[in-house]
C-alpha cells in the first residue's frame, strides 16, 4: 500500500506566512486560501481585501488542485483564443491559484485574490515556494 504526504495546519500556516510576506512587501490586500488534497479549505486569511475575494481565492485553489496546474495556464489558453476552456467544470482561468507540491506529490493548493491577477500569481508562487 502506498503512503502519501499530507498538508497539515502547520504547513498551511507556513505557506500562508510566505504569501502574506510577499503581499505585505507590495502593499497588496489579498485573501489567502489553502486547500488540502481533497479540495477542502484548510486555511483562510483575509486582510483588508474585498469580501468577494474570499470565494474567488477558494475557487482558484480548488481549480489548481483539480487540474494539477496553476490557474494561469487556463488564462493563457483563453487569452490565446481558446474560449472553450471557459466551459470546463471547475476551471477558473484567472491567475492566482497553484498546486502545492512536496517531493513531487501534490498535497494541496493555494489561491490568492484581491489585486490584479498577475499580482495574485506572484503572491501564490511565493507561498507555494515555502514548501
Amino acid at each position: 500500500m502506498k503512503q502519501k504526504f499530507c498538508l497539515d495546519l502547520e504547513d498551511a500556516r507556513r505557506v500562508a506566512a510566505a504569501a502574506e510576506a510577499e503581499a505585505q512587501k507590495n502593499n497588496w490586500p489579498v485573501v489567502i486560501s489553502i486547500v488540502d488534497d481533497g479540495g477542502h479549505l484548510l486555511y483562510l486569511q483575509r486582510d483588508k481585501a474585498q469580501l468577494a475575494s474570499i470565494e474567488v481565492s477558494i475557487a482558484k485553489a480548488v481549480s489548481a488542485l483539480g487540474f494539477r496546474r496553476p490557474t494561469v495556464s487556463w488564462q493563457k489558453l483563453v487569452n490565446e483564443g481558446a474560449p472553450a476552456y471557459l466551459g470546463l467544470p471547475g476551471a477558473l482561468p484567472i491567475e492566482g491559484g497553484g498546486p502545492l507540491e512536496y517531493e513531487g506529490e501534490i498535497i494541496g493548493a493555494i489561491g490568492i485574490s484581491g489585486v490584479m491577477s498577475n499580482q495574485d500569481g506572484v503572491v501564490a508562487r511565493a507561498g507555494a515556494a515555502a514548501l
Side-chain angles (χ1 to χ4, degrees), residues 14-124:
R14 187 170 65 249
V15 169
E20 179 183 18
E22 183 67 28
Q24 286 180 342
K25 177 177 84 172
N26 293 289
N27 269 338
W28 293 337
V30 298
V31 175
I32 301 166
S33 295
I34 299 172
V35 298
D36 63 16
D37 65 347
H40 304 286
L41 187 62
L42 181 60
Y43 184 91
L44 183 121
Q45 176 178 318
R46 175 180 163 262
D47 185 23
K48 300 177 185 163
Q50 60 270 13
L51 292 173
S53 287
I54 294 169
E55 293 301 323
V56 173
S57 69
I58 295 169
K60 287 179 180 183
V62 170
S63 180
L65 176 71
F67 288 100
R68 305 174 69 81
R69 68 192 70 182
T71 56
V72 71
S73 63
W74 301 118
Q75 180 176 321
K76 287 178 182 178
L77 288 167
V78 170
N79 288 345
E80 292 169 358
Y85 288 102
L86 291 171
L88 286 177
L92 189 63
I94 304 169
E95 187 171 358
L100 295 175
E101 294 185 43
Y102 182 76
E103 294 194 17
E105 291 184 32
I106 295 177
I107 59 170
I110 184 169
I112 305 294
S113 181
V115 288
M116 300 298 290
S117 63
N118 63 316
Q119 296 167 330
D120 290 342
V122 168
V123 176

